[in-house]
Amino acid sequence: MDVRQTAGLLGRLALEDPGFEHRLSEALERAEKWLQSTAHGSLDPRVAALTGHLADAGGKRLRPLLVLLGAEFGEPWRDGVTQAAVIAELVHIASLYHDDVMDEAETRHGVPSAHARWGERAAVLGGDWLLARAAQLAADLGPGAVHLNAQAAGRLVAGQLRELSGPGPDMDPVTHYFQVTEGKTAALLSMSLGIGALQAGTAAPEVAALTEYGEQLGIAFQIADDLLDLSSPAELTGKQRGKDLLAGVPSLPVVLAREGADPADAELRDLLADGPLAPADADRALALFARSSALTETEAVLRRRLDRAREALRALPPLPARRALHALCDYVALRTS
Ligand code: FPP
Ligand code: MG
């Protein structure tokens, strides 16, 4: 992974505090080197090629950044903070190995997925290996880190299982969407802030504010992704527009369109009624979404989640890290505007 990419996310936050930005950038670089040596750390080169594959492929490194920002509310120089950043990213990368098997994804971060390159069974085991390394690093840090790591991994799996089994006949699909999203996306963002704050010895009320912020930011992130699938050209997202829509992913706009009662959305409701969309209907569905109340409602839910994230920050002291966490909310909002 090119460390310039981590600088990329930092740069996009426009923190206007070069000293703070430089310190974060150096800390991210330390975490990146540790992540790389851990992911490639098997003595067997074939295992190392598999387990290092997605660490090499890149990513925003949002979770390590959140760990470091969470630590800013305590003593960020303490031993264990960098290690916590590595743990959070290892769990994330492990989950992607498994996710690409489940989604039968051919690519991840612009390179062949582990499952495309080594097959399903090896990809699952590669993810397991990384998860085991995260657990080992957490054990070095003590019971608090072990607890947070285990809880986050459990919530991720539970979210994915809920997605797999669907809402069931008696469940409200919108409630189901939020349960899935809390597990799949919010759990690890929240854990990242929590484990960073814990390792830095941050006071309990501030840890609680940070983890609540992470939960809300995580849900907002997923909703923003859902919106991008409907509105953004491939050059911007690296993903074909409407890819999730065609794959039948029950994103929030899709769920709200199916559940809504606006007569103006009737044609869209009909198109979405019988499972995955027919490829021939994709352009029409995207055009209908663009002026649907489902889309307006999704944007409103996104704004409310970002407001809740910002609200959680009010309990924190006005440090540069709090400004950075605000900037992350603006970044999520801007991605979809
Ligand atoms: C990406 O979602 C997937 C996740 C955020 C989590 C996947 C979790 C698991 C597979 C459970 C296993 C977890 C562990 C810890 C081993 P997506 O498919 O909606 O997005 P994408 O477009 O990035 O694939
Ligand atoms: Mg996927």
Side-chain angles (χ1 to χ4, degrees):
M1 150 85 183
D2 184 341
V3 287
R4 280 170 303 177
Q5 275 186 274
T6 65
L9 177 56
L10 259 185
R12 264 174 278 159
L13 297 185
L15 300 181
E16 292 171 3
D17 185 338
F20 176 59
E21 217 171 306
H22 181 70
R23 192 154 61 79
L24 278 181
S25 175
E26 284 192 338
L28 279 170
E29 207 163 323
R30 277 194 299 279
E32 184 64 30
K33 285 190 178 131
W34 194 335
L35 173 72
Q36 291 292 344
S37 67
T38 307
H40 288 272
S42 171
L43 290 177
D44 181 333
R46 288 169 308 176
V47 174
L50 167 70
T51 57
H53 179 65
L54 282 191
D56 280 345
K60 292 187 287 296
R61 303 301 192 242
L62 168 64
R63 291 147 193 87
L65 177 61
L66 291 177
V67 172
L68 298 175
L69 291 174
E72 288 287 319
F73 297 90
E75 296 175 344
W77 53 86
R78 278 200 195 181
D79 282 350
V81 171
T82 311
Q83 193 159 334
V86 178
I87 292 168
E89 192 65 11
L90 281 172
V91 175
H92 172 57
I93 296 177
S95 79
L96 297 181
Y97 276 73
H98 290 191
D99 184 64
D100 287 341
V101 170
M102 295 189 66
D103 291 353
E104 298 177 8
E106 290 299 315
T107 60
R108 169 68 66 181
H109 300 318
V111 300
S113 64
H115 125 270
R117 195 153 155 197
W118 285 276
E120 275 183 17
R121 289 180 294 183
V124 168
L125 292 173
D128 290 345
W129 191 92
L130 292 166
L131 209 54
R133 293 296 293 140
Q136 198 169 339
L137 291 179
D140 293 344
L141 295 181
V146 169
H147 173 78
L148 288 174
N149 181 50
Q151 188 185 45
R155 287 185 65 195
L156 268 162
V157 175
Q160 194 75 4
L161 276 170
R162 276 189 208 277
E163 184 173 79
L164 192 64
S165 54
D170 299 325
M171 188 167 192
D172 168 30
V174 179
T175 306
H176 178 258
Y177 172 88
F178 284 110
Q179 287 182 348
V180 168
T181 306
E182 280 161 19
K184 260 181 61 173
T185 315
L188 194 52
L189 299 200
S190 179
M191 175 274 211
S192 300
L193 286 148
I195 197 169
L198 176 80
Q199 290 312 312
T202 308
E206 290 166 6
V207 176
L210 286 162
T211 53
E212 169 60 12
Y213 165 88
E215 291 285 336
Q216 301 305 330
L217 184 81
I219 294 168
F221 239 90
Q222 186 58 56
I223 298 173
D225 257 17
D226 292 355
L227 286 168
L228 284 173
D229 184 62
L230 299 179
S231 59
S232 280
E235 309 87 71
L236 224 81
T237 58
K239 262 168 70 174
Q240 175 205 346
R241 184 168 163 241
K243 180 171 176 275
D244 291 346
L245 182 64
L246 274 168
V249 173
S251 68
L252 187 59
V254 167
V255 172
L256 290 175
R258 282 199 185 116
E259 296 301 301
D262 187 341
D265 287 352
E267 185 186 347
L268 182 59
R269 256 195 307 284
D270 282 348
L271 285 177
L272 298 172
D274 307 316
L277 199 66
D281 291 332
D283 285 345
R284 179 71 187 145
L286 287 169
L288 289 168
F289 259 120
R291 50 187 153 87
S292 67
S293 38
L295 195 81
T296 322
E297 214 183 313
T298 305
E299 288 166 347
V301 177
L302 171 62
R303 278 195 300 277
R304 283 200 294 276
R305 290 295 177 157
L306 288 174
D307 284 348
R308 283 171 70 175
R310 292 184 184 107
E311 180 63 31
L313 296 179
R314 287 160 62 102
L316 296 170
L319 302 176
R322 190 176 80 168
R323 281 202 296 284
L325 294 172
H326 268 290
L328 263 173
C329 291
D330 300 341
Y331 165 72
V332 175
L334 264 177
R335 279 172 83 211
T336 56
S337 63

